[in-house]
Amino acid sequence: MTDEHGEPAPLDGNGLGGVLGAFLGVDVTDAILVCDGCGRQQVLAALVVFGAGPGGVARCRGCSHVMLRVAEIRNELVVDLRGTTRLRLRRP
Amino acid sequence: MPGPLPWLPAYLVERRPETAAAATLVLGVPGWPGHLPGQHVDVRLTADDGYSTQRSYSLAAPDHGATVELTVQRVADGEVSPFLVDDLAIGDPVELRGPVGGWFVWSPTLPTRTLLVAGGSGVVPLMAMVRARHEAGAAAPMRLVYSVRTPDDVLYAAELERRGRLDEGLEIHVVHTRRAPPGDARPTGRLTREEIGSLAWPATEEVLTYVCGPTGFVDQVAGDLVALGYDDHRIRTERFGATGG
Amino acid sequence: MGIVTPGFRGRGRDSAPELPPGQYLTHDFPVLSAGPTPHVETDDWALTVTTEAGARSRWSWRDLLALPQETPTVDLHCVTKWSKLGTRWRGVSLDVLLEDVETAADFALVRCFDGYTTNLPLEDLLDGQAWVAHEYDGEPLARAHGGPARLLVPHLYLWKSAKWISGIELSDTDEPGFWEQLGYHDYGDPWREQRYAGD
Ligand SMILES: Cc1cc2nc3c(=O)[nH]c(=O)nc-3n(C[C@H](O)[C@H](O)[C@H](O)COP(=O)(O)OP(=O)(O)OC[C@H]3O[C@@H](n4cnc5c(N)ncnc54)[C@H](O)[C@@H]3O)c2cc1C
Ligand SMILES: [Zn+2]
C-alpha cells in the first residue's frame, strides 16, 4: 500500500490481529511490548506495521526499531521477537 | 475470542449503496461467534485458479447474530474493494476470519466520555460504536468528529443526522475538506489542531478517544491530541493504510 | 485452497506463459517494504565491499557511474507470488565491482541503508547474474524501488535483490539475513520454489 508519493503507507498492529489470533487463539493486539531500541512501552496495536512483504514487520512508534517480524511459513506462524525486550499479556 | 480464528464462509445477503463509491455488504456467516464494536474481520478472496488475497474490513454494526455488515469504499484500481463494492453477487461466498481486535474496541458499559474522530472510511468501526450506544440506550456522552471530502462522501449520512438529533448525549460534527454543503460556515480544509481542541472535551476531563482512518490522518490527529494535552494512553488508533481519505 | 469466490480474478493477472511454479503474472510493480523508505542522496551514497580478511573496497556514486554500465532486461519473481516479465534496468555488473577484490569466500551478506540484510552464495553474484542497478525503465531508480541503487539478482526471489544497497560482506559462513532469519530460504530459487528453509 503506498500513498500518492509512492511511499509505503504503513498500517498498525491492529492489522496483525487476524494472523496472530488465528494461531494463538487469543487476541494479542492489546499486549504491551517494550522496545529494545529506546525502551518505549506500547501496545501491539499501536506499532507501525509494514505488511506487504514476505511477512509483517512491526516497528517502534518512537524510534522505528524493528520489534517484531511475523511470517506464515507453511503451516507455522513464526514470530521473531529480537527487537522486543519485554512482552506483557493479559489473562484472556 | 473463543479459540483460534478459522476462515469462515460468508454469503452476500444484501448490498446497500451508501455513497457513489461505497456500499454496505450484509453477509450471512454460519457459526459467527459474535463481536464487539470496533473489531474488524479479514476477508479472503480466492480465484478459480487458486490465486488468493486478503484485506481487513471493519464491522459496521453491533453484534446481531449470524449476519455481519461491512462498509467498503472503492479505491481506484484497488484489487479487492471495487470487486466487493460492484461485483460480488448476492448469494456468493467470500471467507471471513474474525472477529479481530481487543484494543480498538468500545463497550456501551464504559462510564467515560467517548470522543470518536474519523477520516473517510475510518468512520466504519466508529459507526458500530454509535449504533451500539444507541441500541444499549447508553447515557455516557459521545462525540463523533467526521472528516470527509464532500457532502456526497458522507457514509451513513441520514442515520448520523437522525442519531445526532435523537440520541441524548450524542453529538455529530461533520467537517469537509474539499467541498462543504451550501450554508456551512466552516471553510473547507483539513481538521486543524485548534478545531480538534474546540470540538473535543478539555484534556482535563476523563475521555477515551478513538481515531480511525487513513494512516496520515490518524497520525496527524493523534499527534494533535497529544499536543493538546490528551493522555497518550487514552487514545486508541486504527490505521487503514493509504486508502479511505 | 480456500472457497472460490465466483468472478474474482485478482489484479491485472493474465493467463501466464512459462512462469515458475506458484507464480502469477502482474503488470504493476508492487512496492514491498519492511520499513520507511530511506532518503539517500547520491552525494552520501557509497557501496562498501568487505572481504573475509577485513579488506574494504569502496565506491562513491561518481565511481559507480564511471564504471562500465550494462542494461539487462530480466524477469522478476517475488516470493509473495507475483512475477513481472521483461523489466529493463541499467547498472554495474558485480563481476566488474568484484574483479579486483581478493577473496576466497563462499557467501555474501548484503547490507542496506535501512538496516535490511539478505544472504546468498558469492557465486550467485558473479558470471553476469547480478548488478548494482540505478536506472529502471530508462529513468533514475525511484526511491520506493530502492533508489539511488539496489542489488538486482533476478534468478533468485526478489527479496534477495536488496533495495538501498550499502555494502556486501564476504564470508566463509552463511549468515542469515532479515527474512532468512525467520525461515525464508537461504538460496531462494523460484524455479525450484525455494520459498522456505527446507524447500
Ligand atoms: C484494520 C483495518 C480495517 C479496515 N476497514 C476498512 C473498512 O471498514 N472499509 C474500507 O473501505 N476499508 C477498510 N480498510 C482498508 C482495506 O483493508 C483495503 O486496504 C482497501 O479496501 C483497499 O484495498 P484494495 O484491494 O481495493 O486496494 P489495493 O489493491 O490494496 O491497493 C490500491 C492501490 O491504490 C493505491 N492507493 C490506495 N489508496 C490510495 C490513495 N488514497 N491515494 C493514492 N493511491 C492509493 C495503493 O498504493 C495501491 O497500489 C481497513 C484496513 C485495515 C487495516
Ligand atoms: Zn523504540
Side-chain angles (χ1 to χ4, degrees), chain A residues 34-40 42 59-65 67 83:
Chain A
V34 177
C35 172
D36 195 24
C38 71
R40 180 178 165 131
Q42 52 216 305
R59 291 173 177 264
C60 173
R61 194 157 288 281
C63 74
S64 201
H65 186 68
M67 290 178 66

Side-chain angles (χ1 to χ4, degrees), chain B:
Chain B
M1 197 185 284
L5 299 174
W7 287 105
L8 299 170
Y11 302 87
L12 184 63
V13 175
E14 186 194 341
R15 173 188 279 106
R16 281 200 305 269
E18 297 285 355
T19 64
T24 292
L25 310 183
V26 182
L27 296 154
V29 197
W32 181 249
H35 63 270
L36 303 169
Q39 289 186 309
H40 68 271
V41 293
D42 294 338
V43 175
R44 180 164 77 178
L45 297 178
T46 302
D48 56 10
D49 62 357
Y51 172 82
S52 91
T53 191
Q54 63 190 61
R55 298 290 185 279
S56 299
Y57 292 98
S58 301
L59 292 153
D63 187 20
H64 290 154
T67 58
V68 302
E69 295 191 13
L70 311 179
T71 303
V72 181
Q73 182 148 310
R74 193 190 300 114
V75 170
D77 303 324
E79 181 171 32
V80 169
S81 59
F83 178 82
L84 292 177
V85 173
D86 301 323
D87 302 331
L88 179 67
I90 300 290
D92 278 353
V94 300
E95 288 174 291
L96 294 191
R97 180 168 72 188
V100 181
W103 184 69
F104 196 79
V105 292
W106 183 83
S107 159
T109 60
L110 287 171
T112 55
R113 301 169 177 214
T114 306
L115 173 66
L116 309 176
V117 187
S121 56
V123 75
V124 177
L126 308 185
M127 190 63 184
M129 300 175 191
V130 170
R131 288 168 164 166
R133 180 181 183 280
H134 172 77
E135 290 179 12
M142 179 180 271
R143 281 183 194 166
L144 169 65
V145 179
Y146 178 12
S147 167
V148 49
R149 288 202 177 113
T150 76
D152 299 335
D153 298 309
V154 179
L155 296 173
Y156 322 117
E159 185 181 350
L160 282 175
E161 191 276 323
R162 198 165 63 245
R163 290 275 81 81
R165 200 157 30 83
L166 300 178
D167 289 10
E168 194 77 36
L170 176 69
E171 282 179 40
I172 311 278
H173 302 275
V174 180
V175 301
H176 302 89
T177 59
R178 303 264 174 89
R179 177 169 56 80
D184 188 341
R186 179 189 182 273
T188 57
R190 294 194 173 203
L191 202 54
T192 63
R193 182 177 300 171
E194 294 66 44
E195 211 173 2
I196 295 172
S198 71
L199 294 171
W201 287 280
T204 46
E205 306 271 338
E206 185 155 313
V207 182
L208 196 52
T209 302
Y210 294 81
V211 188
C212 187
T215 298
F217 175 86
V218 174
D219 288 349
Q220 180 78 47
V221 171
D224 286 343
L225 286 164
V226 171
L228 287 164
Y230 270 71
D231 179 0
D232 202 16
H233 293 107
R234 300 188 66 78
I235 304 170
R236 301 194 177 179
T237 45
E238 184 163 271
R239 294 164 181 83
F240 282 8
T243 57

Side-chain angles (χ1 to χ4, degrees), chain C residues 133-194:
Chain C
H134 55 83
E135 278 185 20
Y136 170 71
D137 216 12
E139 302 283 342
L141 182 58
R143 282 201 300 121
H145 287 300
R150 75 182 295 166
L151 182 65
L152 180 65
V153 210
H155 70 291
L156 302 179
Y157 279 125
L158 197 59
W159 89 80
K160 303 281 183 182
S161 292
K163 302 198 274 190
W164 314 297
I165 186 171
S166 63
I168 302 174
E169 285 172 17
L170 305 176
S171 165
D172 298 328
T173 52
D174 198 6
E175 189 188 326
F178 188 85
W179 290 118
E180 292 83 359
Q181 288 168 355
L182 256 86
Y184 279 89
H185 204 280
D186 281 324
Y187 189 63
D189 178 354
W191 295 97
R192 286 186 279 164
E193 207 170 356
Q194 292 172 333

